[in-house]
């Protein structure tokens, strides 16, 4: 399949040239995950090689820079994450902010209602948004605080110890 633009309209054709879907305002080439991101009526969505919609065109913003195997999306001022690999909504549009952990590119942090949560770059939700602070720590651990107490988690989201420490200084031996 390939994308096309003709007479101001864009779509997807199969190998024989048969139009599978058209009527888009804009379309990007298929990416490495087999998705072609399209814009229709000012909103973004994605379709697969067969022309069928994978993500409905309801997203106001889709950046060109992915977060691991996910990309940001925006609906009515709230941010979420779409997973490329399993073509699902990893985080519904509910976050006020989403960004990478500056110390560890495998972690994607988000803020919802003033609290932080964490995703792995592969799309797995590691920690729900109920922490005051989250960051990577020594030896591939995730440091998270709640009510001024710090706890430690592994990169699978498993709790090593609940928030009980009064410091963010984690021993290198952990």
């Amino acid at each position: 399949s390939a994308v096309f633009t003709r007479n101001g309209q864009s779509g997807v054709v199969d190998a024989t040239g048969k139009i599978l879907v058209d009527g888009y305002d804009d379309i990007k080439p298929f990416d490495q995950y087999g998705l072609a991101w399209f814009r229709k009526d000012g909103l973004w969505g994605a379709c697969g090689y067969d022309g069928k919609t994978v993500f409905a065109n309801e997203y106001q913003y889709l950046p060109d820079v992915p977060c691991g195997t996910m990309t940001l999306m925006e609906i009515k001022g709230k941010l979420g994450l779409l997973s490329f690999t399993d073509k699902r909504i990893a985080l519904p549009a509910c976050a006020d902010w989403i960004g990478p952990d500056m110390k560890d590119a495998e972690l994607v942090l988000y803020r919802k209602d003033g609290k932080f949560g964490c995703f792995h770059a592969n799309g797995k939700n590691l920690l729900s948004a109920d922490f005051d602070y989250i960051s990577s720590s020594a030896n591939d651990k995730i440091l998270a605080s709640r009510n001024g107490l710090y706890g430690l988690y592994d990169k699978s989201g498993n709790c090593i110890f609940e928030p009980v420490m009064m410091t963010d200084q984690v021993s290198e031996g952990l």
Side-chain angles (χ1 to χ4, degrees):
S1 294
V3 300
F4 73 90
T5 300
R6 180 186 61 206
N7 299 326
Q9 294 290 302
S10 301
V12 176
V13 295
D14 68 10
T16 67
K18 176 184 172 191
I19 295 175
L20 299 175
V21 65
D22 65 354
Y24 300 144
D25 301 326
D26 189 16
I27 194 165
K28 295 183 178 193
F30 282 100
D31 62 21
Q32 67 194 44
Y33 302 102
L35 297 174
W37 295 94
F38 64 85
R39 186 174 48 83
K40 183 174 182 174
D41 301 325
L43 299 174
W44 288 94
C47 64
Y49 289 122
D50 58 3
K52 293 182 181 173
T53 299
V54 176
F55 294 114
N57 66 308
E58 58 186 12
Y59 307 109
Q60 295 164 322
Y61 173 71
L62 290 172
D64 291 330
V65 180
C67 297
T69 61
M70 299 178 292
T71 191
L72 289 170
M73 52 89 161
E74 180 181 344
I75 299 176
K76 297 180 182 174
K78 293 293 184 178
L79 300 172
L81 293 167
L82 301 176
S83 173
F84 295 139
T85 52
D86 51 6
K87 296 175 178 59
R88 66 179 175 85
I89 298 172
L91 176 68
C94 64
D96 306 313
W97 174 86
I98 295 176
D101 181 89
M102 300 315 282
K103 297 178 194 172
D104 188 335
E106 289 185 342
L107 300 179
V108 179
L109 307 178
Y110 68 98
R111 184 181 64 225
K112 176 183 174 186
D113 300 326
K115 298 289 185 177
F116 289 89
C118 180
F119 272 83
H120 191 278
N122 68 9
K124 180 182 180 196
N125 189 11
L126 301 177
L127 300 175
S128 297
D130 59 352
F131 294 93
D132 301 319
Y133 171 84
I134 294 179
S135 180
S136 58
S137 175
N139 297 323
D140 286 340
K141 305 292 186 282
I142 301 168
L143 183 67
S145 76
R146 186 183 301 126
N147 301 321
L149 301 175
Y150 288 82
L152 202 61
Y153 300 81
D154 66 19
K155 283 194 180 175
S156 295
N158 298 314
C159 180
I160 297 170
F161 60 85
E162 290 287 336
V164 293
M165 296 189 323
M166 296 289 289
T167 180
D168 63 355
Q169 301 301 312
V170 177
S171 168
E172 290 294 322
L174 291 176

